[in-house]
Each structure stands twice: as structure tokens, then as C-alpha cells.
Amino acid sequence: MHSAQPSVAEARRLHGQLYDMLTQSQYWSADRMAAHQRGQLAHLLRHARATVPFYETRLDAVLGADGEIDWDRWHEIPVLTRADLQTRYDAMQSGASPPGHGEIMQSRSSGSTGQPIVTSQNALAALAASSATARAYDWHGIDVARTHVCVFGDDPQVGAYPDGLLHEPWGPPALRTGAPGRQYDLNLAASPDQALEFIQRRRPSYLSGLVTRLSVLAHEVLRRGLDIRVEAILPFGEAVSPARRKLFDDAFGARTIPFYASQETYRIAHACPMADHYHVNAELMLVEVVGDDGRPAAAGQPGRVVITPFYNTAQPLIRYQIGDIATASGNDCRCGRTLPVLGDILGRIAHMFRLPDGRPILPNISDDDVLELGAEIWQLAQVAPDRLEFRYVPGERAGDEDRFAQRLKAQLHPDFEIAFRRLASSDFQERRKFIPYLCELA
């Protein structure tokens, strides 16, 4: 059942109200934020039990028959998995959306960890995410009256070279206060040469796209000595290492402003403007970093990311494990904002390697070692229980593969056999969503 879709004017008003709230709530005390989150969660839990078959008994540990909530038992709610979303889609749909939550749309994930996931999301959730994006753009001084080029999209008929697809205006509605800016989308079928010609012709202030795709373009700019200047790189799809930030600065003279998101949950966190970590959009969702026991991981320790979005009532995702490993770092930040802090986004659970003795490990190669090898773009894959393959695009200065292999063994396990495969940048061009660490074991 769809609730009434708000008019354009009403949607802009709601967006403005959410944006105004977020500019204030980023400084709330921890107690006030916790009270806000519990209020939103209470509405979501009661709605899910009443209207979603999947949650009819799933919330019993926390939600009593009288509607009262035992918050001390929150972690007894079973974690929701990608397999649940794939196999229980129909049972997870709400039979009655609350008034004003808007049109229900479907979103499809990229399927980088296997089978893609389809979820239902209502317009209010998208509106809230757009408001959080507006706040982050404020943090970093992003001006939506300027030109933006986005290199992304799998459909070869949409955003095709040489014209691309024009959006005018672009950006969150709350920030559209002056002349409309232009966004040009260029799909992933464009070659690096075509993409660079497109960027030179459109002369954007902002350039966004998958991290590895933008890295390929950056290396081409440096190799060919092109003069392409942009104000900021807005990368997504992968974690951004310090080496990648330096690459974007060297190639484009640009600062890097990443964000953390998923198709299922929208914008999770945005980069702090003053520190090298992320601030969680805690007004819109509960983000937990948990250990194997489902309890909160200690500050600075890695754990699984579990998310409960507040505003998606079309298909509630309560304690959804999105498949990432990250570190939580508390709430303290020198920027003055009190929003929870996420440290490093370490990788995907599904891409963890298995040591020859069967233990799981999350690989993490140092940027210095990769630079010494001279690898521009790279991927480390586990292709057998005792064998790894390092696939890379070599730069102009070739490094010592034997030395690099010994360092890999020292970091991961001495019994691993290391093979190398040199590739052209076009081989990585074909990857729609690049995965730096890939476990190919069955």
C-alpha cells in the first residue's frame, strides 16, 4: 500500500525542515541524541510488528505485547542478513505505510558480494538522506550552483559519450538558492580517453565516481601531462586510502571528500571536514559496530557494521548487517560536532581471506609497499587455500615483485604462494565496482 505522495512544494518544505533540524542536531548532547533515536526506533518497531509479517514474532525479546520496549535487550534482536533480504523479500514488505511517507520505490544493489539485493524504500527515507547530504555539503563548502560531472552508470544508453546526461539543477533542494548548477552523467562504457575529453569539455568543479575508475583517470592525467583542475573529488564505492587522496591531489589539484553509503540504507556517514574519519547520520539511523557476540565492539576495535534506518517504513531493516567491517571511535571530534564517529571502513566480510589453517583474516596492504612496487591500480585475490594472486597495472617505475611477495607473506601468512599478473588499465575499466581484496574460494 502506498501512502500519499507529497507535492513538489511539500517535499521541498519537508526537506528544508529536516535540513534545519540536522544543522542543529549535529551538536546535540549524547543523551539528547539517544532519546531521539529511541523515539524513532519505538515507532519503527511497533510499525514493523503490526504491518510486516517477517517481524510478527522476531522482535519479541524487546517489544512486549503491551507495546513497551526493553532497551536493555536490544542486542537480542537477531541480526538481519543479506540472505534474509534475498529469500524473504515478500514477507518483509509493509502492508500499510504511515501517512506522508510517500511513494514506494525499489532499489537494487550492485551485487559486488554476489547476488544483487532488491529493497523497497519510501520517499521520506530518500528525502532524509538528501537532507543529510546537504548538511555534509555545507561542511565542505560544496556549491551546487557549480558544475558536477559523475562518471557512473551501467546502462550504455543512459549518459552515453559524447553528450552524457544533463541534470539541471543538481544537489539537495535545500541548497538550491541561487542559479541552477549542472550535473553531467557519463556512463561506465566510456573509455578513459573519452572520459577525460568529456571532463575537459564540461570543466566541472566537482568530479565523482567509483574510486578505482577515478584512479584510472588520474593516472592517465599524470601520464599524459594533462591540465585538468577540479575543486573536489567525491568518490564512492570503496574506501579511499591516503595514497589515493594524494593521487587525486597530484592529478587534479583536488581535495577528496568521501562518504559511506549503501543502496539499502542510503547515506550512512559523511567525511568530517577537519579529521580523517566519518560522522554518522545518527538522527536518521542507528549504526552499531558489533563483535561476534552481537554486542558493541570496543572503541578502536574492528567489528561488523549493523544498521537500522528510521525512516524506511516500506521495508524496515532492523539490525541489518550490511556486510562491512569498520572501527567505531566514540563521539569526540575536534570539529565540535557530537555525531558518532566511524574510523576506518576496513572491508567486506564476504571478501575476507582464509589462512591455510582455516582462520579468517582481513588483508590490508600498506600503501608504501604498493608504491614501492610501482602498482598504479591493483587487486589482491585469494584463488586457492594457499595461493594469492596480485593483479596490477605497473607504472613507469617497476618495483621488485619478489621483495613485495615476501612482505605480503610476512603480513598475511608465510605459507601463501604469491603469483603476479600484470594488466592494462582497460582491464580494470571493465570492472563495474572494483574490489581491492577478493576471495575467490568456493
Side-chain angles (χ1 to χ4, degrees):
M1 181 183 297
H2 293 204
S3 62
Q5 173 74 350
S7 66
V8 172
E10 176 66 8
R12 287 184 66 91
R13 186 185 67 81
L14 287 172
H15 188 279
Q17 289 179 337
L18 283 166
Y19 170 69
D20 289 342
M21 183 197 82
L22 294 178
T23 60
Q24 299 175 42
S25 57
Q26 61 187 324
Y27 300 110
W28 280 353
S29 68
D31 287 344
R32 185 173 181 184
M33 184 65 76
H36 167 81
Q37 290 187 319
R38 286 190 173 185
Q40 296 295 324
L41 286 169
H43 288 301
L44 183 69
L45 295 182
R46 292 169 187 145
H47 165 77
R49 173 184 276 180
T51 70
V52 182
F54 181 81
Y55 290 108
E56 185 175 2
T57 61
R58 189 179 179 90
L59 308 175
D60 286 354
V62 170
L63 184 58
D66 58 358
E68 292 299 310
I69 298 172
D70 185 350
W71 296 110
D72 290 336
R73 301 183 67 184
W74 172 258
H75 296 94
E76 295 182 33
I77 298 176
V79 167
L80 185 68
T81 66
R82 293 174 67 89
D84 291 326
L85 270 60
Q86 291 165 340
T87 61
R88 303 295 305 280
Y89 175 81
D90 290 338
M92 293 189 69
Q93 305 307 303
S94 172
S97 292
H101 281 218
E103 181 182 3
I104 296 174
M105 305 159 285
Q106 284 194 333
S107 177
R108 184 181 179 89
S109 77
S110 65
S112 62
T113 59
Q115 181 181 353
I117 288 176
V118 178
T119 53
S120 297
Q121 298 164 337
N122 48 270
L124 182 60
L127 203 64
S130 178
S131 300
T133 300
R135 176 172 68 181
Y137 281 7
D138 264 353
W139 294 351
H140 295 280
I142 300 296
D143 183 356
V144 299
R146 297 183 180 180
T147 301
H148 172 210
V149 165
C150 180
V151 184
F152 189 63
D154 289 325
D155 188 338
Q157 303 304 314
V158 178
Y161 181 82
D163 296 324
L165 176 65
L166 171 64
H167 303 273
E168 186 179 15
W170 70 278
L175 302 183
R176 299 174 188 170
T177 57
R182 294 183 173 187
Q183 174 176 314
Y184 294 94
D185 292 347
L186 180 68
N187 68 37
L188 295 175
S191 69
D193 285 348
Q194 290 173 332
L196 291 174
E197 189 281 327
F198 185 88
I199 294 166
Q200 286 180 305
R201 178 160 35 96
R202 299 303 185 191
R203 301 176 63 185
S205 294
Y206 311 112
L207 177 62
S208 65
L210 294 170
V211 174
T212 299
R213 181 57 53 87
L214 296 181
S215 298
V216 169
L217 297 181
H219 282 296
E220 284 298 309
V221 167
L222 294 174
R223 183 177 293 112
R224 293 162 54 180
L226 300 178
D227 184 18
I228 300 179
R229 303 283 96 179
V230 301
E231 182 180 320
I233 300 291
L234 312 177
F236 53 85
E238 306 159 40
V240 186
S241 69
R244 292 283 173 86
R245 290 174 182 267
K246 184 178 185 303
L247 170 65
F248 296 147
D249 183 31
D250 290 344
F252 300 109
R255 55 198 173 113
T256 300
I257 308 173
F259 61 88
Y260 180 39
S262 77
Q263 288 287 351
E264 303 97 287
T265 63
Y266 290 129
R267 298 296 181 99
I268 300 166
H270 287 95
C272 176
M274 295 181 64
D276 189 19
H277 55 224
Y278 296 87
H279 283 298
V280 173
N281 294 318
E283 307 94 335
L284 311 184
M285 61 187 68
L286 177 67
V287 176
E288 306 171 72
V289 179
V290 304
D292 292 337
D293 59 356
R295 307 288 297 186
Q301 294 299 309
R304 294 172 291 143
V305 179
V306 175
I307 298 180
T308 305
F310 301 149
Y311 291 109
N312 187 18
T313 52
Q315 183 181 347
L317 304 180
I318 299 173
R319 303 204 74 215
Y320 173 48
Q321 180 176 289
I322 66 171
D324 289 336
I325 299 175
T327 57
S329 302
N331 293 64
D332 294 332
C333 182
R334 60 190 175 93
C335 75
R337 295 172 181 84
T338 54
L339 297 169
V341 170
L342 271 182
D344 295 325
I345 313 299
L346 299 172
R348 301 287 292 176
I349 295 171
H351 300 152
M352 293 180 72
F353 290 2
R354 293 200 290 274
L355 295 176
D357 61 11
R359 288 179 293 138
I361 185 175
L362 191 67
N364 186 22
I365 303 173
S366 82
D367 286 337
D368 289 342
D369 288 344
V370 173
L371 290 172
E372 185 176 326
L373 179 63
E376 293 186 350
I377 311 295
W378 57 269
Q379 180 182 72
L380 181 65
Q382 184 171 13
V383 296
D386 60 351
R387 181 180 171 86
L388 306 179
E389 184 175 81
F390 189 79
R391 304 155 180 169
Y392 73 106
V393 178
E396 294 182 358
R397 181 183 59 82
D400 187 333
E401 290 183 348
D402 289 339
R403 179 183 174 87
F404 184 79
Q406 292 305 313
R407 290 187 174 179
L408 273 186
K409 290 183 178 184
Q411 291 178 36
L412 300 177
H413 197 282
D415 292 340
F416 274 131
E417 178 186 347
I418 313 293
F420 291 86
R421 182 148 62 105
R422 298 188 177 193
L423 302 170
S425 60
S426 59
D427 294 312
F428 288 91
Q429 170 82 3
E430 293 304 315
R431 289 167 165 73
R432 291 299 183 249
K433 185 172 182 181
F434 179 75
I435 303 166
Y437 300 102
L438 183 63
C439 182
E440 296 181 346
L441 302 182

